[in-house]
Amino acid sequence: MSLSDTKENQISGSATKPAVFVDGGSGTTGLGINERLRLQNDVVVKTIDDDKRKDASAKRALMEEVDLVILCLPDEAAKETVALIDSMGAAAPKILDASTAFRVAPDWAYGFPELAADQAEKIRKARKVANPGCYPTGAIALLRPVVDAGLLPADYPVTVNAVSGYSGGGKSMIASFEDGSAPSFFLYGLGFEHKHLPEMQLYSGLTRRPIFVPSVGNFRQGMLVSVPLQLDALPGKVGGADLHAALSQRYAGSRYVSVMPLKNEVTRTGRLEPEALNDTNQLELYVFASDRHRQAVLVARLDNLGKGASGAAVQNMRLMLGLPDA
């Protein structure tokens, strides 16, 4: 088997650095991870020849040489590779999986470091971490703090609306938008079985399954996730300031999650576009509320390829390898 380090990491002393293999690096998430890794000089990225990618023995030999494997594969292929790694015993590397296969598995850590005060430490100590989905990242970031604070009952009938750029839909969707054959906008997941629902419910702390209405727009990347709330349906006299305070307290000091002020430019214009955080690992959270009408909308803005996929994977990778934030 022919192995090679990325050119960026072929420097003196690279053998002392942790080694990583991105399995499935030709998809959008894998490409994004590799692009981010090229900007870092404290990780060695191992590769495998294209003709050996499906050779289990060749892949096993490579994985014995690395500290961590990042899986950017379809669910079934991810399960097969995890089974192969599990068979390696003491030689097994750590696993960071970007598929949906293990996101609610009890023996995997969930890769949203900002989920709770101890979540980053759980990821740091874990041998297996499931990278979150893009939509759940926004929804959970909004919902979990207000559920934990007792402002939103766990059985509240939550609705999550979201729009994403088409890059999150895979190669065929990307091609249809780029060749002009796709519509400008569409809803999907209308069979109530979207694959992100289990993790969205579990890690938001909800006991009632939320209604999730995703959509795709004619822009490559960027995402808005929104949760409308009838404030009079909440216990007590919850207002927008209470919701904002719960979010602000949870994410105080966070490098990647920002709770925007209650009064901001978006409040003045009444418009929020999805692409402002593209090519970053940032996540912005907004609370829009009307005391007069007793209504509120919680909104998350992120890059579906950044904090929603590749950016989150690199953040988790660095935690798992004991590396400082980059």
Side-chain angles (χ1 to χ4, degrees):
M1 177 180 64
S2 174
L3 303 176
S4 64
D5 299 340
T6 56
K7 292 181 180 179
E8 291 75 12
N9 287 312
Q10 290 176 342
I11 58 176
S12 175
S14 64
T16 64
K17 300 174 183 178
V20 175
F21 168 46
V22 181
D23 192 3
S26 62
T28 52
T29 298
L31 289 170
I33 291 170
N34 280 317
E35 183 64 28
R36 284 166 168 78
L37 293 179
R38 278 191 281 271
L39 301 176
Q40 302 181 19
N41 61 9
D42 54 359
V43 177
V44 176
V45 181
K46 298 285 188 176
T47 61
I48 188 170
D49 289 342
D50 286 345
D51 62 347
K52 301 285 182 67
R53 287 188 301 109
K54 296 186 178 181
D55 183 332
S57 61
K59 192 157 77 168
R60 178 177 180 132
L62 183 150
M63 292 191 297
E64 289 176 347
E65 299 182 5
V66 302
D67 300 283
L68 184 143
V69 174
I70 304 176
L71 302 180
C72 302
L73 303 169
D75 285 12
E76 289 307 312
K79 291 176 183 177
E80 292 174 3
T81 302
V82 169
L84 175 61
I85 294 173
D86 284 344
S87 73
M88 293 168 59
K94 293 185 174 183
I95 310 170
L96 174 59
D97 179 39
S99 79
T100 63
F102 301 101
R103 288 181 184 160
V104 297
D107 54 339
W108 285 66
Y110 190 62
F112 183 36
E114 298 84 2
L115 178 69
D118 61 347
Q119 193 66 21
E121 187 62 21
K122 288 180 179 179
I123 294 167
R124 190 176 287 112
K125 293 178 177 179
R127 296 206 59 81
K128 297 178 179 180
V129 175
N131 212 51
C134 50
Y135 291 123
T137 295
I140 293 164
L142 294 169
L143 290 165
R144 179 64 176 266
V146 296
V147 171
D148 285 351
L151 302 176
L152 184 76
D155 63 351
Y156 185 88
V158 168
T159 296
V160 179
N161 302 297
V163 60
S164 173
Y166 59 77
S167 56
K171 293 181 180 179
S172 61
M173 183 181 290
I174 293 171
S176 68
F177 274 95
E178 293 186 345
D179 68 17
S181 61
S184 296
F185 175 88
F186 60 85
L187 300 178
Y188 71 105
L190 297 175
F192 302 94
E193 297 293 344
H194 194 282
K195 63 182 181 179
H196 286 170
L197 271 164
E199 63 180 295
M200 191 181 293
Q201 178 180 356
L202 177 63
Y203 295 108
S204 292
L206 300 173
T207 58
R208 177 181 292 191
R209 197 170 190 267
I211 295 175
F212 177 43
V213 187
S215 61
V216 176
N218 191 14
F219 53 96
R220 180 171 176 81
Q221 64 194 88
M223 173 174 284
L224 296 174
V225 180
S226 60
V227 179
L229 297 173
Q230 297 285 356
L231 297 180
D232 285 340
L234 304 182
K237 294 184 178 180
V238 174
D242 301 305
L243 298 168
H244 187 268
L247 294 175
S248 298
Q249 182 176 358
R250 173 61 56 89
Y251 301 112
S254 173
R255 176 174 180 177
Y256 297 112
V257 183
S258 301
V259 180
M260 309 309 287
L262 271 173
K263 294 186 182 298
N264 53 65
E265 181 65 14
V266 178
T267 308
R268 186 185 67 79
T269 63
R271 296 180 179 181
L272 185 64
E273 59 89 13
E275 299 177 272
L277 299 180
N278 284 1
D279 301 317
T280 77
N281 194 45
Q282 298 300 313
L283 170 63
E284 291 179 347
L285 305 180
Y286 294 82
V287 176
F288 303 104
S290 168
D291 290 334
R292 176 186 175 190
H293 298 295
R294 300 291 296 149
Q295 294 175 321
V297 180
L298 310 180
V299 183
R301 174 161 65 180
L302 64 156
D303 180 0
N304 61 293
L305 298 183
K307 186 62 170 165
S310 304
V314 172
Q315 181 185 357
N316 286 319
M317 177 204 76
R318 298 189 68 83
L319 283 170
M320 296 175 74
L321 294 176
L323 298 172
D325 252 343

